[in-house]
Amino acid sequence: SVRHRGYNYMSLFPRPHWTVFATKRLKRIHYDTSIPFNTTGEMVPTFLAHPFFGSMGFTLVKAEAWMMVTRDFVAECVQGPLARRMLANLSFLLSSPEHFFISVLLNHKKFEHTLVPNSFRTVFWYFNRHASGQHPFDADFEKQGRYLFYSKLVETPGFFARKFKVPGSPMMRKIDRDVSGIAVDRVNSTRVREFHSKTMRAFLDATASVANGTHVKIN
């Protein structure tokens, strides 16, 4: 079973992004204004070079900050020596959640073979070959009465999606009826079963690929 094998599900960014973002986010120190209990919690860039940059002794990896992980891995992130060391190195890093968890996972001998490189969370970073920028496009982006990402959302296997801007929108109600099946009435059982079946097949195929020895290697 997935639980017995202890797999962790995260969506990696392409490998060339790792070095680019390591230089951009770690080479210079960023100061977290929440440290002195300032409620704004902003990361302010400084002109100070990070003292550990280039000599950290591990590979800084980049993944989306949304994941499905095991209790065992969470315990390692909270208590493990590698995680504590990495936390000290990354304490002045910009957007640390996108780097900390995946870097602990892939630099740890116990967990490096447990990565399934898919978080099964549908996120829209591109539209008509245009990148969204720092934040993804809204999944419920509407233009001229049409939801531009709806068809892609229902075609893509996933347990979650983000991000939605309008609570209770017609698109959300359609998802409740045709995808999740949690609507109180007018549920399209056939479409719900088709989507659930497609998602579970993709989930099991991705998991089986790792079980059969297809692993992400950082070196």
Side-chain angles (χ1 to χ4, degrees):
S1 68
V2 171
R3 181 177 182 182
H4 175 71
R5 294 178 182 274
Y7 293 122
N8 296 281
Y9 299 78
M10 304 183 192
S11 293
L12 287 165
F13 275 72
R15 189 178 293 264
H17 288 208
W18 301 0
T19 302
V20 172
F21 279 88
T23 302
K24 180 180 179 180
R25 293 177 170 178
L26 186 62
K27 190 172 184 178
R28 299 291 177 184
I29 287 178
H30 290 76
Y31 176 69
D32 187 350
T33 60
S34 66
I35 291 176
F37 300 100
N38 184 321
T39 56
T40 58
E42 297 179 62
M43 295 296 288
V44 180
T46 73
F47 294 101
L48 300 175
H50 196 298
F52 302 140
F53 185 77
S55 60
M56 294 182 297
F58 60 82
T59 300
L60 188 70
V61 190
K62 186 176 188 299
E64 292 185 5
W66 307 92
M67 62 199 75
M68 297 184 292
V69 297
T70 61
R71 184 183 296 270
D72 195 22
F73 178 65
V74 171
E76 176 62 33
C77 289
V78 174
Q79 302 173 335
L82 175 62
R84 293 200 302 270
R85 174 185 163 203
M86 201 168 289
L87 192 62
N89 278 268
L90 304 184
S91 57
F92 298 105
L93 172 71
L94 185 65
S95 300
S96 56
E98 295 180 358
H99 301 277
F100 173 72
F101 298 101
I102 186 63
S103 295
V104 171
L105 188 79
L106 288 182
N107 285 275
H108 199 295
K109 293 298 182 183
K110 177 180 177 181
F111 295 102
E112 62 180 346
H113 297 312
T114 68
L115 173 66
V116 177
N118 190 338
S119 65
F120 288 91
R121 181 181 294 268
T122 304
V123 183
F124 299 103
W125 293 103
Y126 295 92
F127 180 67
N128 287 344
R129 299 182 181 179
H130 294 288
S132 61
Q134 182 179 357
H135 302 286
F137 289 107
D138 293 326
D140 56 356
F141 181 69
E142 183 181 11
K143 186 175 182 180
Q144 296 179 344
R146 186 171 70 92
Y147 290 107
L148 300 185
F149 294 109
Y150 181 77
S151 59
K152 184 68 173 177
L153 187 146
V154 297
E155 291 168 4
T156 306
F159 298 116
F160 312 96
R162 68 180 293 263
K163 55 188 180 173
F164 294 90
K165 186 175 183 179
V166 182
S169 67
M171 179 176 176
M172 292 294 290
R173 293 194 292 272
K174 188 171 178 61
I175 289 172
D176 291 345
R177 292 194 304 267
D178 297 349
V179 180
S180 68
I182 65 171
V184 296
D185 60 0
R186 299 173 60 193
V187 173
N188 190 322
S189 300
T190 301
R191 289 184 179 176
V192 169
R193 282 196 300 270
E194 289 175 351
F195 183 81
H196 287 191
S197 177
K198 175 172 57 180
T199 296
M200 284 307 302
R201 282 198 307 270
F203 178 77
L204 294 174
D205 287 347
T207 304
S209 178
V210 174
N212 292 330
T214 303
H215 302 297
V216 175
K217 299 182 183 299
I218 58 176
N219 295 316

